Amino acid sequence: GLEQLREEVQRLHEDRLTLHQTEELAAQAKEQLKVQTAEVQMVFARWESRFETLFSRVEAESSLRMGETKRRKESEQLLSSLLNDLGDLRKEFNVNTEAASRACAKS
């Protein structure tokens, strides 16, 4: 009976050591998880910041290009209008010079 009691005490002692080791491992795992979570959050924050920076740069470039396109279009419209005016002036000039030529020929 005494030997059995000793074995039981030994087993309980080993179980207690195992439990203690398991608790230590769990605490280490919890701490490691906390550290890794913080690292992941930092990486996420960096990527979010990089995305925001890139997004605003693309947005600004897009706005600039669209402005240039609008100005180019307005410039083309102005040139087209000026060319039409010049064409009208040429026609009028030709009509006037023909009329003048005829008037000179009659005299």
Side-chain angles (χ1 to χ4, degrees):
L2 191 60
E3 187 58 36
Q4 240 181 346
L5 194 58
R6 274 196 187 123
E7 286 173 8
E8 186 64 31
V9 167
Q10 181 66 30
R11 249 193 324 274
L12 286 171
H13 183 66
E14 288 170 1
D15 287 351
R16 191 167 152 244
L17 286 176
T18 302
L19 181 63
H20 185 66
Q21 289 172 337
T22 303
E23 286 172 344
E24 280 182 7
L25 285 173
Q28 287 175 358
K30 188 176 177 182
E31 192 57 36
Q32 201 172 16
L33 184 62
K34 236 195 280 186
V35 168
Q36 289 173 343
T37 300
E39 288 172 358
V40 166
Q41 286 173 336
M42 282 171 38
V43 167
F44 178 73
R46 270 201 316 270
W47 276 100
E48 193 174 33
S49 170
R50 289 174 66 187
F51 173 80
E52 289 301 326
T53 301
L54 187 59
F55 184 82
S56 62
R57 285 173 59 192
V58 167
E59 213 173 25
E61 184 68 20
S62 167
S63 176
L64 184 72
R65 294 280 171 90
M66 285 167 64
E68 286 174 359
T69 301
K70 185 179 177 206
R71 282 190 296 280
R72 196 175 302 121
K73 194 171 191 169
E74 288 169 354
S75 181
E76 285 172 1
Q77 287 173 341
L78 179 62
L79 281 172
S80 176
S81 173
L82 289 172
L83 283 172
N84 286 337
D85 291 350
L86 282 172
D88 292 345
L89 283 173
R90 177 187 281 158
K91 285 179 198 163
E92 203 174 318
F93 177 78
N94 289 340
V95 167
N96 288 337
T97 50
E98 283 176 25
S101 294
R102 281 196 303 272
C104 287
K106 285 184 182 174
S107 324

